[in-house]
Amino acid sequence: MNERIVFGYCRNYTGSISIYKEQAAVVRFIYSQYHKGKTLSEIAENLKTFHIPSPTNKPIWGRQAINNILSNEKYLGNEIYPKIINKEDFDEIKEVKSQNAYSLRYHNK
């Protein structure tokens, strides 16, 4: 039961995991911003501007923390975690990330 809870969730008094509404809104914001074409750095700057603390409760978000949120399938929901992101949005983000990685790989040579 000492497992670290994923950002966007909390453990309730029964020990089950439920959605932490304020953090879940941040998760949805990150997905929305990335879907609109914002870079990880731009999203991090927006979160800093809005004074939204990182998952480690720091004022500055790292690009990797944002990338982890965009890649974490637990947001789709499973037997433990309730759904925050729908599969279509998750799959679209996954495709955009894949295209961005391809573009970076082959245009920076």
Side-chain angles (χ1 to χ4, degrees):
M1 274 257 207
N2 289 333
E3 172 192 346
R4 185 166 181 240
I5 304 299
V6 174
F7 184 81
Y9 299 97
C10 59
R11 190 174 301 281
N12 62 34
Y13 67 94
T14 65
S16 62
I17 294 175
S18 57
I19 293 174
Y20 186 148
K21 290 182 181 174
E22 291 84 2
Q23 289 182 355
V26 174
V27 170
R28 290 184 191 104
F29 174 79
I30 290 170
Y31 272 79
S32 164
Q33 292 295 292
Y34 196 81
H35 186 70
K36 291 177 182 174
K38 300 287 185 189
T39 65
L40 299 179
S41 296
E42 289 170 329
I43 296 168
E45 189 58 37
N46 285 340
L47 293 167
K48 179 183 171 189
T49 299
F50 295 133
H51 305 287
I52 297 171
S54 75
T56 56
N57 211 27
K58 294 192 166 67
I60 296 175
W61 283 70
R63 291 173 58 230
Q64 189 60 48
I66 295 167
N67 190 51
N68 290 345
I69 287 172
L70 292 170
S71 303
N72 195 330
E73 293 186 358
K74 287 179 179 160
Y75 294 120
L76 293 171
N78 59 30
E79 63 279 351
I80 299 170
Y81 286 90
K83 178 173 36 171
I84 291 177
I85 299 296
N86 68 47
K87 180 147 177 53
E88 295 79 26
D89 290 343
F90 186 86
D91 288 344
E92 282 181 35
I93 294 299
K94 188 174 178 180
E95 179 64 28
V96 170
K97 285 178 66 184
S98 174
Q99 290 171 0
N100 289 347
Y102 177 85
S103 179
L104 281 174
R105 203 173 310 126
Y106 292 101
H107 288 95
N108 286 336
K109 288 190 174 189

